Amino acid sequence: MGARRRKFWGWGYEGEGPTRDQQASMAKTLADMFEVDSLAVAEPPTLDELDLPASRLEPPAALASLCTTDQFERAGHTYGKSFRDVVRAFERDFSHPPDVVAMPRTEDDVTALLDWCADAHAAAVPYGGGSSVVGGVECDAAEHGYAGTVTIDLRELGRVVEIDRTSRAARIEAGVFGPALEEQLRPHGLTLRHFPQSFECSTLGGWLATRSGGHYATLYTHIDDFVESLRVVTPHGLVESRRLPGSGAGPSPDRMFLGSEGILGVITEAWMRLQDRPRFRASASARFDTFADGAVAARALAQSGLFPTNCRLLDATEAMVTGSDDGSAHLLLVAFESADHPLDPWLARALELVGDHGGDVNTDSVRVSGDGAGAREGSAGAWRNAFIRAPYTRDALVAMGCVNETFETATTWDRFDALHEDVVHSTRDALTAVGAGNGVVTCRFTHVYPDGPAPYFTVIAPGREGAQLEQWAAVKSAASDALVRHGATITHHHAVGRDHRPWYDQQRPEPFADALRAAKAALDPAAVLNPGVLIDP
């Protein structure tokens, strides 16, 4: 049996995701929800339907073995995995594929590739796992004045190179995908314990370059928290920070590259802080009459010092859509995990707080386990399964002609109510304006901090044939404008890419942008790395 192959047009692996019968059932359910006659399910593109433009670049002989112009690879590296990307793929629009896909095997290979890109005036786009949902890995070279585009894919750099069991850390190559990373750590009883929704098809380097958010709702919310040191190949030379548990020696070199989205260099290795694999788990769910009441309870938990692993508040529609509840109430999922100790006291105190703030705790949902299995049943298990399936489901929605967008932010608790009301109303108004007023807008908390939540919004609406991208853009703009109005961040963990640039330009201070441009000029003097992301050099 051959190795699984990634879909070139959408999320995940060929042969996975909803079957045709399941898609037909989803289409009927959504048609009833949207009060339309029916939703037709379109066929995804096939490789022989594509007419890719000829490659404009030819790698030098010394690099030829690292490079390919294979049609499947070029098509698969054209886009990330956003709604907009998949819609264009279904339209068979692959008009700006990379000219060359390069797969370096060593750091020296990365250096040589960047040197070639500088000499050829070609854009160099670090790919990670290609799971970007913000236009972070696509590049129209001609628009930016480049001779072509070289996508740099680190899939050949996927090893856990060294483990320091004493310090509980590991030196890891940046091209490793989530499942392969955990598989290599498992025999040592260790885990990075960073599980973004893209875990199956994203890499350590991608997590670092985009400041990925993981599954922890509190405390260790971002990949930043696990970084001990980084190793980065830049066109100016190699940058390696020192392995330290903490330091006050000036601005952190690591922080310069965390979230830099490939504009300053290619992250090739990192020493990452690990954890012992959890043995104890405890979880429960509670229902609230209003989303506002649930938010107050979530704030109490975030400020309690209990640091729950999971503290996700789902509004009633989100709970219903994910199968976590029947949609008659708003749902709070709470969970704890530990490698060291039973969690009964933590869960008991959390449920006291939830009850104090009006939550009706479902006693049947309480799970305490020494092996973790029982804690993943019930509402929490249903939500987890829906969370993992969501990217495949999104592609199915595209096939049905729907408009589907997700966007997340973070704000302080004192501003949340006004933000939530404005975002929901603005998004619904935008849906009405583009002829999709019977769509739904849902909200959940993905992460909570003592000073504020990270709300995550989902939009699902009937699309108009040939106008899905226009409808998507109107919804995206309305939501993003509302976030900026309330001083919230344009993204909590999806990165900036090209899609968020107009609003990121408003969020970041201009003197900081000048400093970032100066760093870009110093590290990437030919300005070949990922043009159009974060700044215009």
PDB file of all heavy atoms in Angstrom, residues 356-384:
ATOM      1  N   ASP A 356     -21.472  29.062  40.834  1.00  0.00           N
ATOM      2  CA  ASP A 356     -21.629  30.396  41.439  1.00  0.00           C
ATOM      3  C   ASP A 356     -22.054  31.435  40.408  1.00  0.00           C
ATOM      4  O   ASP A 356     -22.635  32.467  40.769  1.00  0.00           O
ATOM      5  CB  ASP A 356     -20.324  30.847  42.087  1.00  0.00           C
ATOM      6  CG  ASP A 356     -19.995  30.064  43.354  1.00  0.00           C
ATOM      7  OD1 ASP A 356     -20.905  29.381  43.878  1.00  0.00           O
ATOM      8  OD2 ASP A 356     -18.828  30.130  43.801  1.00  0.00           O
ATOM      9  N   HIS A 357     -21.727  31.185  39.140  1.00  0.00           N
ATOM     10  CA  HIS A 357     -22.040  32.163  38.086  1.00  0.00           C
ATOM     11  C   HIS A 357     -23.169  31.700  37.181  1.00  0.00           C
ATOM     12  O   HIS A 357     -23.268  32.119  36.023  1.00  0.00           O
ATOM     13  CB  HIS A 357     -20.775  32.466  37.271  1.00  0.00           C
ATOM     14  CG  HIS A 357     -19.746  33.213  38.060  1.00  0.00           C
ATOM     15  ND1 HIS A 357     -18.813  32.582  38.867  1.00  0.00           N
ATOM     16  CD2 HIS A 357     -19.511  34.539  38.201  1.00  0.00           C
ATOM     17  CE1 HIS A 357     -18.049  33.493  39.451  1.00  0.00           C
ATOM     18  NE2 HIS A 357     -18.450  34.680  39.060  1.00  0.00           N
ATOM     19  N   GLY A 358     -24.019  30.835  37.707  1.00  0.00           N
ATOM     20  CA  GLY A 358     -25.256  30.501  37.003  1.00  0.00           C
ATOM     21  C   GLY A 358     -25.184  29.316  36.085  1.00  0.00           C
ATOM     22  O   GLY A 358     -26.147  29.040  35.352  1.00  0.00           O
ATOM     23  N   GLY A 359     -24.090  28.584  36.103  1.00  0.00           N
ATOM     24  CA  GLY A 359     -23.978  27.423  35.231  1.00  0.00           C
ATOM     25  C   GLY A 359     -24.679  26.210  35.803  1.00  0.00           C
ATOM     26  O   GLY A 359     -24.581  25.935  37.005  1.00  0.00           O
ATOM     27  N   ASP A 360     -25.379  25.504  34.942  1.00  0.00           N
ATOM     28  CA  ASP A 360     -26.043  24.260  35.332  1.00  0.00           C
ATOM     29  C   ASP A 360     -25.124  23.115  34.924  1.00  0.00           C
ATOM     30  O   ASP A 360     -25.045  22.757  33.743  1.00  0.00           O
ATOM     31  CB  ASP A 360     -27.398  24.150  34.637  1.00  0.00           C
ATOM     32  CG  ASP A 360     -28.140  22.868  34.988  1.00  0.00           C
ATOM     33  OD1 ASP A 360     -27.738  22.194  35.968  1.00  0.00           O
ATOM     34  OD2 ASP A 360     -29.104  22.525  34.266  1.00  0.00           O
ATOM     35  N   VAL A 361     -24.443  22.554  35.912  1.00  0.00           N
ATOM     36  CA  VAL A 361     -23.459  21.511  35.618  1.00  0.00           C
ATOM     37  C   VAL A 361     -24.177  20.205  35.330  1.00  0.00           C
ATOM     38  O   VAL A 361     -25.014  19.746  36.116  1.00  0.00           O
ATOM     39  CB  VAL A 361     -22.484  21.328  36.800  1.00  0.00           C
ATOM     40  CG1 VAL A 361     -21.519  20.189  36.508  1.00  0.00           C
ATOM     41  CG2 VAL A 361     -21.722  22.625  37.058  1.00  0.00           C
ATOM     42  N   ASN A 362     -23.847  19.626  34.197  1.00  0.00           N
ATOM     43  CA  ASN A 362     -24.400  18.330  33.827  1.00  0.00           C
ATOM     44  C   ASN A 362     -23.601  17.250  34.550  1.00  0.00           C
ATOM     45  O   ASN A 362     -22.472  16.948  34.184  1.00  0.00           O
ATOM     46  CB  ASN A 362     -24.305  18.158  32.306  1.00  0.00           C
ATOM     47  CG  ASN A 362     -24.805  16.805  31.839  1.00  0.00           C
ATOM     48  OD1 ASN A 362     -25.286  15.998  32.630  1.00  0.00           O
ATOM     49  ND2 ASN A 362     -24.685  16.554  30.542  1.00  0.00           N
ATOM     50  N   THR A 363     -24.197  16.673  35.603  1.00  0.00           N
ATOM     51  CA  THR A 363     -23.455  15.697  36.414  1.00  0.00           C
ATOM     52  C   THR A 363     -23.055  14.469  35.601  1.00  0.00           C
ATOM     53  O   THR A 363     -22.040  13.835  35.874  1.00  0.00           O
ATOM     54  CB  THR A 363     -24.297  15.257  37.631  1.00  0.00           C
ATOM     55  OG1 THR A 363     -25.567  14.781  37.185  1.00  0.00           O
ATOM     56  CG2 THR A 363     -24.506  16.432  38.581  1.00  0.00           C
ATOM     57  N   ASP A 364     -23.848  14.159  34.571  1.00  0.00           N
ATOM     58  CA  ASP A 364     -23.492  13.021  33.719  1.00  0.00           C
ATOM     59  C   ASP A 364     -22.243  13.291  32.889  1.00  0.00           C
ATOM     60  O   ASP A 364     -21.634  12.365  32.347  1.00  0.00           O
ATOM     61  CB  ASP A 364     -24.652  12.673  32.778  1.00  0.00           C
ATOM     62  CG  ASP A 364     -25.851  12.086  33.523  1.00  0.00           C
ATOM     63  OD1 ASP A 364     -25.654  11.580  34.643  1.00  0.00           O
ATOM     64  OD2 ASP A 364     -26.969  12.155  32.986  1.00  0.00           O
ATOM     65  N   SER A 365     -21.872  14.575  32.760  1.00  0.00           N
ATOM     66  CA  SER A 365     -20.717  14.927  31.937  1.00  0.00           C
ATOM     67  C   SER A 365     -19.405  14.883  32.710  1.00  0.00           C
ATOM     68  O   SER A 365     -18.333  14.972  32.114  1.00  0.00           O
ATOM     69  CB  SER A 365     -20.889  16.334  31.358  1.00  0.00           C
ATOM     70  OG  SER A 365     -20.664  17.328  32.364  1.00  0.00           O
ATOM     71  N   VAL A 366     -19.484  14.754  34.029  1.00  0.00           N
ATOM     72  CA  VAL A 366     -18.269  14.792  34.846  1.00  0.00           C
ATOM     73  C   VAL A 366     -17.475  13.506  34.616  1.00  0.00           C
ATOM     74  O   VAL A 366     -17.988  12.391  34.809  1.00  0.00           O
ATOM     75  CB  VAL A 366     -18.603  14.964  36.338  1.00  0.00           C
ATOM     76  CG1 VAL A 366     -17.319  14.940  37.164  1.00  0.00           C
ATOM     77  CG2 VAL A 366     -19.354  16.276  36.560  1.00  0.00           C
ATOM     78  N   ARG A 367     -16.237  13.664  34.200  1.00  0.00           N
ATOM     79  CA  ARG A 367     -15.360  12.523  33.931  1.00  0.00           C
ATOM     80  C   ARG A 367     -14.031  12.752  34.643  1.00  0.00           C
ATOM     81  O   ARG A 367     -13.394  13.783  34.462  1.00  0.00           O
ATOM     82  CB  ARG A 367     -15.077  12.382  32.420  1.00  0.00           C
ATOM     83  CG  ARG A 367     -16.315  12.198  31.555  1.00  0.00           C
ATOM     84  CD  ARG A 367     -16.816  10.757  31.606  1.00  0.00           C
ATOM     85  NE  ARG A 367     -17.828  10.500  30.601  1.00  0.00           N
ATOM     86  CZ  ARG A 367     -19.122  10.758  30.742  1.00  0.00           C
ATOM     87  NH1 ARG A 367     -19.552  11.296  31.861  1.00  0.00           N
ATOM     88  NH2 ARG A 367     -19.971  10.468  29.775  1.00  0.00           N
ATOM     89  N   VAL A 368     -13.616  11.790  35.434  1.00  0.00           N
ATOM     90  CA  VAL A 368     -12.311  11.831  36.095  1.00  0.00           C
ATOM     91  C   VAL A 368     -11.631  10.510  35.784  1.00  0.00           C
ATOM     92  O   VAL A 368     -12.204   9.442  36.027  1.00  0.00           O
ATOM     93  CB  VAL A 368     -12.437  12.037  37.613  1.00  0.00           C
ATOM     94  CG1 VAL A 368     -11.061  12.044  38.259  1.00  0.00           C
ATOM     95  CG2 VAL A 368     -13.172  13.338  37.912  1.00  0.00           C
ATOM     96  N   SER A 369     -10.428  10.584  35.247  1.00  0.00           N
ATOM     97  CA  SER A 369      -9.800   9.374  34.753  1.00  0.00           C
ATOM     98  C   SER A 369      -8.303   9.381  35.006  1.00  0.00           C
ATOM     99  O   SER A 369      -7.648  10.429  34.964  1.00  0.00           O
ATOM    100  CB  SER A 369     -10.068   9.236  33.249  1.00  0.00           C
ATOM    101  OG  SER A 369      -9.332   8.177  32.705  1.00  0.00           O
ATOM    102  N   GLY A 370      -7.775   8.187  35.234  1.00  0.00           N
ATOM    103  CA  GLY A 370      -6.328   8.037  35.363  1.00  0.00           C
ATOM    104  C   GLY A 370      -5.670   7.629  34.070  1.00  0.00           C
ATOM    105  O   GLY A 370      -4.454   7.626  33.959  1.00  0.00           O
ATOM    106  N   ASP A 371      -6.483   7.308  33.039  1.00  0.00           N
ATOM    107  CA  ASP A 371      -5.903   6.945  31.753  1.00  0.00           C
ATOM    108  C   ASP A 371      -6.340   7.878  30.639  1.00  0.00           C
ATOM    109  O   ASP A 371      -5.910   7.750  29.502  1.00  0.00           O
ATOM    110  CB  ASP A 371      -6.269   5.515  31.357  1.00  0.00           C
ATOM    111  CG  ASP A 371      -7.777   5.305  31.233  1.00  0.00           C
ATOM    112  OD1 ASP A 371      -8.522   6.298  31.255  1.00  0.00           O
ATOM    113  OD2 ASP A 371      -8.187   4.143  31.099  1.00  0.00           O
ATOM    114  N   GLY A 372      -7.203   8.842  30.959  1.00  0.00           N
ATOM    115  CA  GLY A 372      -7.590   9.855  29.992  1.00  0.00           C
ATOM    116  C   GLY A 372      -8.759   9.492  29.112  1.00  0.00           C
ATOM    117  O   GLY A 372      -9.371  10.350  28.510  1.00  0.00           O
ATOM    118  N   ALA A 373      -9.100   8.230  29.009  1.00  0.00           N
ATOM    119  CA  ALA A 373     -10.099   7.816  28.036  1.00  0.00           C
ATOM    120  C   ALA A 373     -11.479   8.390  28.348  1.00  0.00           C
ATOM    121  O   ALA A 373     -12.135   8.956  27.485  1.00  0.00           O
ATOM    122  CB  ALA A 373     -10.165   6.292  27.986  1.00  0.00           C
ATOM    123  N   GLY A 374     -11.913   8.250  29.599  1.00  0.00           N
ATOM    124  CA  GLY A 374     -13.252   8.684  29.957  1.00  0.00           C
ATOM    125  C   GLY A 374     -13.469  10.163  29.832  1.00  0.00           C
ATOM    126  O   GLY A 374     -14.587  10.617  29.631  1.00  0.00           O
ATOM    127  N   ALA A 375     -12.386  10.953  29.950  1.00  0.00           N
ATOM    128  CA  ALA A 375     -12.519  12.402  29.912  1.00  0.00           C
ATOM    129  C   ALA A 375     -12.796  12.920  28.512  1.00  0.00           C
ATOM    130  O   ALA A 375     -13.004  14.100  28.323  1.00  0.00           O
ATOM    131  CB  ALA A 375     -11.250  13.051  30.460  1.00  0.00           C
ATOM    132  N   ARG A 376     -12.802  12.027  27.515  1.00  0.00           N
ATOM    133  CA  ARG A 376     -13.012  12.471  26.144  1.00  0.00           C
ATOM    134  C   ARG A 376     -14.360  12.013  25.621  1.00  0.00           C
ATOM    135  O   ARG A 376     -14.583  11.942  24.418  1.00  0.00           O
ATOM    136  CB  ARG A 376     -11.890  11.948  25.243  1.00  0.00           C
ATOM    137  CG  ARG A 376     -10.560  12.650  25.516  1.00  0.00           C
ATOM    138  CD  ARG A 376      -9.447  12.111  24.668  1.00  0.00           C
ATOM    139  NE  ARG A 376      -8.243  12.912  24.820  1.00  0.00           N
ATOM    140  CZ  ARG A 376      -7.065  12.590  24.282  1.00  0.00           C
ATOM    141  NH1 ARG A 376      -6.946  11.484  23.589  1.00  0.00           N
ATOM    142  NH2 ARG A 376      -6.016  13.367  24.451  1.00  0.00           N
ATOM    143  N   GLU A 377     -15.281  11.694  26.506  1.00  0.00           N
ATOM    144  CA  GLU A 377     -16.612  11.284  26.105  1.00  0.00           C
ATOM    145  C   GLU A 377     -17.576  12.462  26.256  1.00  0.00           C
ATOM    146  O   GLU A 377     -17.185  13.557  26.613  1.00  0.00           O
ATOM    147  CB  GLU A 377     -17.070  10.095  26.968  1.00  0.00           C
ATOM    148  CG  GLU A 377     -16.181   8.851  26.807  1.00  0.00           C
ATOM    149  CD  GLU A 377     -16.507   7.768  27.810  1.00  0.00           C
ATOM    150  OE1 GLU A 377     -17.385   8.009  28.676  1.00  0.00           O
ATOM    151  OE2 GLU A 377     -15.888   6.690  27.749  1.00  0.00           O
ATOM    152  N   GLY A 378     -18.857  12.227  25.979  1.00  0.00           N
ATOM    153  CA  GLY A 378     -19.881  13.229  26.198  1.00  0.00           C
ATOM    154  C   GLY A 378     -19.716  14.453  25.315  1.00  0.00           C
ATOM    155  O   GLY A 378     -19.204  14.391  24.197  1.00  0.00           O
ATOM    156  N   SER A 379     -20.152  15.625  25.842  1.00  0.00           N
ATOM    157  CA  SER A 379     -20.110  16.866  25.072  1.00  0.00           C
ATOM    158  C   SER A 379     -18.688  17.231  24.661  1.00  0.00           C
ATOM    159  O   SER A 379     -18.448  17.690  23.543  1.00  0.00           O
ATOM    160  CB  SER A 379     -20.722  18.013  25.893  1.00  0.00           C
ATOM    161  OG  SER A 379     -22.087  17.782  26.144  1.00  0.00           O
ATOM    162  N   ALA A 380     -17.741  17.022  25.589  1.00  0.00           N
ATOM    163  CA  ALA A 380     -16.346  17.347  25.280  1.00  0.00           C
ATOM    164  C   ALA A 380     -15.839  16.488  24.134  1.00  0.00           C
ATOM    165  O   ALA A 380     -15.147  16.973  23.227  1.00  0.00           O
ATOM    166  CB  ALA A 380     -15.474  17.150  26.515  1.00  0.00           C
ATOM    167  N   GLY A 381     -16.182  15.211  24.143  1.00  0.00           N
ATOM    168  CA  GLY A 381     -15.757  14.325  23.070  1.00  0.00           C
ATOM    169  C   GLY A 381     -16.394  14.691  21.738  1.00  0.00           C
ATOM    170  O   GLY A 381     -15.736  14.664  20.695  1.00  0.00           O
ATOM    171  N   ALA A 382     -17.685  15.060  21.782  1.00  0.00           N
ATOM    172  CA  ALA A 382     -18.376  15.450  20.552  1.00  0.00           C
ATOM    173  C   ALA A 382     -17.750  16.711  19.968  1.00  0.00           C
ATOM    174  O   ALA A 382     -17.542  16.818  18.751  1.00  0.00           O
ATOM    175  CB  ALA A 382     -19.862  15.679  20.836  1.00  0.00           C
ATOM    176  N   TRP A 383     -17.452  17.669  20.847  1.00  0.00           N
ATOM    177  CA  TRP A 383     -16.831  18.898  20.354  1.00  0.00           C
ATOM    178  C   TRP A 383     -15.449  18.615  19.779  1.00  0.00           C
ATOM    179  O   TRP A 383     -15.092  19.118  18.708  1.00  0.00           O
ATOM    180  CB  TRP A 383     -16.704  19.932  21.474  1.00  0.00           C
ATOM    181  CG  TRP A 383     -16.089  21.195  20.964  1.00  0.00           C
ATOM    182  CD1 TRP A 383     -16.732  22.236  20.366  1.00  0.00           C
ATOM    183  CD2 TRP A 383     -14.698  21.518  20.938  1.00  0.00           C
ATOM    184  NE1 TRP A 383     -15.822  23.185  19.971  1.00  0.00           N
ATOM    185  CE2 TRP A 383     -14.575  22.778  20.307  1.00  0.00           C
ATOM    186  CE3 TRP A 383     -13.548  20.868  21.388  1.00  0.00           C
ATOM    187  CZ2 TRP A 383     -13.347  23.392  20.123  1.00  0.00           C
ATOM    188  CZ3 TRP A 383     -12.316  21.492  21.191  1.00  0.00           C
ATOM    189  CH2 TRP A 383     -12.222  22.730  20.574  1.00  0.00           C
ATOM    190  N   ARG A 384     -14.664  17.778  20.453  1.00  0.00           N
ATOM    191  CA  ARG A 384     -13.312  17.456  19.981  1.00  0.00           C
ATOM    192  C   ARG A 384     -13.360  16.800  18.606  1.00  0.00           C
ATOM    193  O   ARG A 384     -12.573  17.133  17.713  1.00  0.00           O
ATOM    194  CB  ARG A 384     -12.623  16.532  20.989  1.00  0.00           C
ATOM    195  CG  ARG A 384     -11.207  16.121  20.616  1.00  0.00           C
ATOM    196  CD  ARG A 384     -10.600  15.286  21.745  1.00  0.00           C
ATOM    197  NE  ARG A 384      -9.259  14.851  21.410  1.00  0.00           N
ATOM    198  CZ  ARG A 384      -8.980  13.723  20.745  1.00  0.00           C
ATOM    199  NH1 ARG A 384      -9.976  12.941  20.351  1.00  0.00           N
ATOM    200  NH2 ARG A 384      -7.738  13.392  20.483  1.00  0.00           N
TER     201      ARG A 384
END
